[in-house]
Amino acid sequence: MKNIFIINGSHPFAHSGGRFNETLFNTTISFFESLEDYEVKSTQVGEDYNPQEEVEKFKWADLVIYHTPIWWFQIPFGFKKYIDEVFTEGHQNGIYVNDGRSRKNPNINYGTGGLMHGKKYILTTSWNAPKTAFTLENEFFNQKSVDEGVMFGFHRMNAFTGMELLATHHFHDMEKNADVPFELNNYSAFLTKNIFALNYE
């Protein structure tokens, strides 16, 4: 039995209704619920949650799947609040014990105090920016990928807890040129590929 914890980091704000990430979130839940030997728990950060209960979900999970849109080159403020509250609640309670350093030599071993070793995570992001904004010379992101650029800190956050990245999947140009059925079909193939790999590690 594999335990899957799925988080929708989107929430309604201004002109963003969060519909695509809601669809993605529900698609992921349905994907795992259709398989044998998987148990699913989920959270929508735009709804009420209890930080202590959320910590228990992280402790329970074998795989955490984060879905988030990108607003102004960062995760939504509600999602950041969720992480701040839940990970702080997890201090010396399953998420991390400390920053990993000792007072005898504080210059080394930073980021090694995580308690979630053996767990993996998947990250999806959705963007207004087209993929070419990241890949073409002289375009906006200076040929820095999503994972090496905007989401670098998010990945280090998870590494701090001890979790290991399984895979990422990024959705581009979702405001002006979205083909949602096409994107969801590609996403289902992505899930199938990576869950197969997870099961046979």
Side-chain angles (χ1 to χ4, degrees):
M1 178 69 71
K2 296 281 189 181
N3 297 332
I4 312 297
F5 179 29
I6 304 164
I7 302 171
N8 180 8
S10 181
H11 55 87
F13 177 71
H15 66 278
S16 177
R19 291 187 300 275
F20 177 68
N21 277 272
E22 178 81 13
T23 300
L24 201 58
F25 176 71
N26 290 328
T27 297
T28 307
I29 292 172
S30 296
F31 176 89
F32 285 103
E33 287 183 342
S34 72
L35 301 176
E36 294 183 358
D37 299 326
Y38 288 90
E39 187 173 348
V40 175
K41 294 184 179 181
S42 61
T43 293
Q44 300 211 58
V45 303
E47 298 178 354
D48 291 338
Y49 57 84
N50 180 312
Q52 292 178 339
E53 293 175 1
E54 297 305 302
V55 170
E56 293 304 314
K57 292 178 186 177
F58 275 96
K59 291 161 68 173
W60 166 87
D62 298 306
L63 174 67
V64 178
I65 301 179
Y66 299 103
H67 296 303
T68 184
I70 301 301
W71 295 355
W72 288 106
F73 315 110
Q74 300 177 61
I75 63 175
F77 63 89
F79 189 18
K80 180 60 166 66
K81 178 175 181 285
Y82 171 89
I83 289 170
D84 288 346
E85 292 179 342
V86 174
F87 281 29
T88 299
E89 188 68 32
H91 179 217
Q92 298 186 345
N93 181 29
I95 292 184
Y96 74 104
V97 63
N98 54 39
D99 71 10
R101 297 178 296 162
S102 72
R103 295 190 184 278
K104 292 181 180 178
N105 191 349
N107 294 319
I108 62 171
N109 295 324
Y110 178 80
T112 60
L115 295 172
M116 295 203 288
H117 297 280
K119 300 178 185 292
K120 297 185 184 295
Y121 72 97
I122 284 173
L123 170 67
T124 78
T125 65
S126 54
W127 295 76
N128 172 52
K131 188 173 183 178
T132 50
F134 299 87
T135 59
L136 293 182
E137 189 175 359
N138 299 320
E139 285 297 313
F140 187 78
F141 290 98
N142 298 317
Q143 295 181 297
K144 282 278 189 184
S145 73
V146 172
D147 297 300
E148 295 170 323
V150 172
M151 299 310 292
F152 178 79
F154 189 90
H155 289 307
R156 298 322 298 160
M157 173 197 79
N158 283 280
F160 189 95
T161 73
M163 284 199 288
E164 180 184 344
L165 176 65
L166 178 60
T168 61
H169 190 82
H170 306 298
F171 300 90
H172 296 285
D173 211 357
M174 296 305 293
E175 286 195 30
K176 294 183 174 65
N177 293 300
D179 183 342
V180 173
F182 174 80
E183 297 290 357
L184 292 178
N185 185 61
N186 283 346
Y187 175 65
S188 293
F190 162 84
L191 277 182
T192 299
K193 173 184 175 182
N194 283 286
I195 298 312
F196 181 83
L198 180 68
N199 288 338
Y200 287 91
E201 285 188 339

